[in-house]
PDB file of all heavy atoms in Angstrom:
ATOM      1  N   ILE A 184     152.155 218.655 222.634  1.00 86.00           N
ATOM      2  CA  ILE A 184     151.699 220.052 222.612  1.00 86.00           C
ATOM      3  C   ILE A 184     150.725 220.220 223.768  1.00 86.00           C
ATOM      4  O   ILE A 184     149.617 219.644 223.770  1.00 86.00           O
ATOM      5  CB  ILE A 184     151.024 220.416 221.278  1.00 86.00           C
ATOM      6  CG1 ILE A 184     151.987 220.194 220.128  1.00 86.00           C
ATOM      7  CG2 ILE A 184     150.546 221.826 221.287  1.00 86.00           C
ATOM      8  CD1 ILE A 184     151.355 220.386 218.761  1.00 86.00           C
ATOM      9  N   THR A 185     151.120 220.975 224.731  1.00 85.00           N
ATOM     10  CA  THR A 185     150.278 221.216 225.941  1.00 85.00           C
ATOM     11  C   THR A 185     149.833 222.657 226.081  1.00 85.00           C
ATOM     12  O   THR A 185     148.920 222.945 226.856  1.00 85.00           O
ATOM     13  CB  THR A 185     151.070 220.808 227.202  1.00 85.00           C
ATOM     14  OG1 THR A 185     152.268 221.563 227.269  1.00 85.00           O
ATOM     15  CG2 THR A 185     151.395 219.311 227.173  1.00 85.00           C
ATOM     16  N   SER A 186     150.444 223.543 225.336  1.00 88.00           N
ATOM     17  CA  SER A 186     150.131 224.969 225.458  1.00 88.00           C
ATOM     18  C   SER A 186     149.214 225.411 224.316  1.00 88.00           C
ATOM     19  O   SER A 186     149.498 225.111 223.126  1.00 88.00           O
ATOM     20  CB  SER A 186     151.403 225.800 225.428  1.00 88.00           C
ATOM     21  OG  SER A 186     151.098 227.197 225.385  1.00 88.00           O
ATOM     22  N   PRO A 187     148.102 226.066 224.603  1.00 89.00           N
ATOM     23  CA  PRO A 187     147.241 226.584 223.513  1.00 89.00           C
ATOM     24  C   PRO A 187     147.917 227.644 222.654  1.00 89.00           C
ATOM     25  O   PRO A 187     147.620 227.787 221.478  1.00 89.00           O
ATOM     26  CB  PRO A 187     146.025 227.171 224.241  1.00 89.00           C
ATOM     27  CG  PRO A 187     146.468 227.449 225.629  1.00 89.00           C
ATOM     28  CD  PRO A 187     147.528 226.403 225.905  1.00 89.00           C
ATOM     29  N   VAL A 188     148.843 228.377 223.246  1.00 92.00           N
ATOM     30  CA  VAL A 188     149.568 229.375 222.487  1.00 92.00           C
ATOM     31  C   VAL A 188     150.428 228.732 221.416  1.00 92.00           C
ATOM     32  O   VAL A 188     150.504 229.176 220.258  1.00 92.00           O
ATOM     33  CB  VAL A 188     150.422 230.253 223.420  1.00 92.00           C
ATOM     34  CG1 VAL A 188     151.246 231.281 222.635  1.00 92.00           C
ATOM     35  CG2 VAL A 188     149.552 230.944 224.469  1.00 92.00           C
ATOM     36  N   VAL A 189     151.098 227.641 221.803  1.00 91.00           N
ATOM     37  CA  VAL A 189     151.936 226.912 220.844  1.00 91.00           C
ATOM     38  C   VAL A 189     151.068 226.311 219.749  1.00 91.00           C
ATOM     39  O   VAL A 189     151.424 226.308 218.552  1.00 91.00           O
ATOM     40  CB  VAL A 189     152.742 225.830 221.580  1.00 91.00           C
ATOM     41  CG1 VAL A 189     153.506 224.954 220.580  1.00 91.00           C
ATOM     42  CG2 VAL A 189     153.710 226.472 222.554  1.00 91.00           C
ATOM     43  N   PHE A 190     149.886 225.784 220.136  1.00 91.00           N
ATOM     44  CA  PHE A 190     148.971 225.190 219.123  1.00 91.00           C
ATOM     45  C   PHE A 190     148.525 226.232 218.106  1.00 91.00           C
ATOM     46  O   PHE A 190     148.578 225.985 216.896  1.00 91.00           O
ATOM     47  CB  PHE A 190     147.776 224.567 219.855  1.00 91.00           C
ATOM     48  CG  PHE A 190     146.738 224.047 218.924  1.00 91.00           C
ATOM     49  CD1 PHE A 190     146.837 222.808 218.320  1.00 91.00           C
ATOM     50  CD2 PHE A 190     145.602 224.832 218.630  1.00 91.00           C
ATOM     51  CE1 PHE A 190     145.860 222.330 217.471  1.00 91.00           C
ATOM     52  CE2 PHE A 190     144.618 224.366 217.785  1.00 91.00           C
ATOM     53  CZ  PHE A 190     144.738 223.111 217.202  1.00 91.00           C
ATOM     54  N   ASP A 191     148.088 227.395 218.584  1.00 91.00           N
ATOM     55  CA  ASP A 191     147.612 228.423 217.677  1.00 91.00           C
ATOM     56  C   ASP A 191     148.725 228.920 216.782  1.00 91.00           C
ATOM     57  O   ASP A 191     148.530 229.113 215.562  1.00 91.00           O
ATOM     58  CB  ASP A 191     147.040 229.595 218.478  1.00 91.00           C
ATOM     59  CG  ASP A 191     145.794 229.187 219.244  1.00 91.00           C
ATOM     60  OD1 ASP A 191     145.185 228.180 218.885  1.00 91.00           O
ATOM     61  OD2 ASP A 191     145.439 229.909 220.200  1.00 91.00           O
ATOM     62  N   ARG A 192     149.908 229.113 217.355  1.00 93.00           N
ATOM     63  CA  ARG A 192     151.035 229.576 216.559  1.00 93.00           C
ATOM     64  C   ARG A 192     151.452 228.556 215.498  1.00 93.00           C
ATOM     65  O   ARG A 192     151.738 228.920 214.358  1.00 93.00           O
ATOM     66  CB  ARG A 192     152.231 229.872 217.497  1.00 93.00           C
ATOM     67  CG  ARG A 192     153.512 230.268 216.794  1.00 93.00           C
ATOM     68  CD  ARG A 192     153.350 231.596 216.088  1.00 93.00           C
ATOM     69  NE  ARG A 192     154.607 231.991 215.417  1.00 93.00           N
ATOM     70  CZ  ARG A 192     154.716 233.043 214.611  1.00 93.00           C
ATOM     71  NH1 ARG A 192     153.661 233.805 214.385  1.00 93.00           N
ATOM     72  NH2 ARG A 192     155.861 233.328 214.065  1.00 93.00           N
ATOM     73  N   LEU A 193     151.467 227.296 215.875  1.00 92.00           N
ATOM     74  CA  LEU A 193     151.856 226.229 214.940  1.00 92.00           C
ATOM     75  C   LEU A 193     150.859 226.109 213.778  1.00 92.00           C
ATOM     76  O   LEU A 193     151.252 226.002 212.615  1.00 92.00           O
ATOM     77  CB  LEU A 193     151.977 224.902 215.684  1.00 92.00           C
ATOM     78  CG  LEU A 193     152.368 223.690 214.866  1.00 92.00           C
ATOM     79  CD1 LEU A 193     153.760 223.890 214.248  1.00 92.00           C
ATOM     80  CD2 LEU A 193     152.380 222.420 215.730  1.00 92.00           C
ATOM     81  N   MET A 194     149.562 226.149 214.103  1.00 92.00           N
ATOM     82  CA  MET A 194     148.550 226.042 213.064  1.00 92.00           C
ATOM     83  C   MET A 194     148.618 227.238 212.104  1.00 92.00           C
ATOM     84  O   MET A 194     148.547 227.087 210.882  1.00 92.00           O
ATOM     85  CB  MET A 194     147.164 225.964 213.693  1.00 92.00           C
ATOM     86  CG  MET A 194     146.885 224.690 214.472  1.00 92.00           C
ATOM     87  SD  MET A 194     146.801 223.243 213.431  1.00 92.00           S
ATOM     88  CE  MET A 194     145.348 223.604 212.506  1.00 92.00           C
ATOM     89  N   ALA A 195     148.773 228.402 212.669  1.00 93.00           N
ATOM     90  CA  ALA A 195     148.795 229.613 211.827  1.00 93.00           C
ATOM     91  C   ALA A 195     150.053 229.671 210.951  1.00 93.00           C
ATOM     92  O   ALA A 195     149.959 229.951 209.749  1.00 93.00           O
ATOM     93  CB  ALA A 195     148.749 230.856 212.733  1.00 93.00           C
TER      94      ALA A 195
END
Side-chain angles (χ1 to χ4, degrees):
I184 302 175
T185 58
S186 173
V188 178
V189 174
F190 174 82
D191 295 340
R192 175 66 179 173
L193 180 61
M194 293 292 294

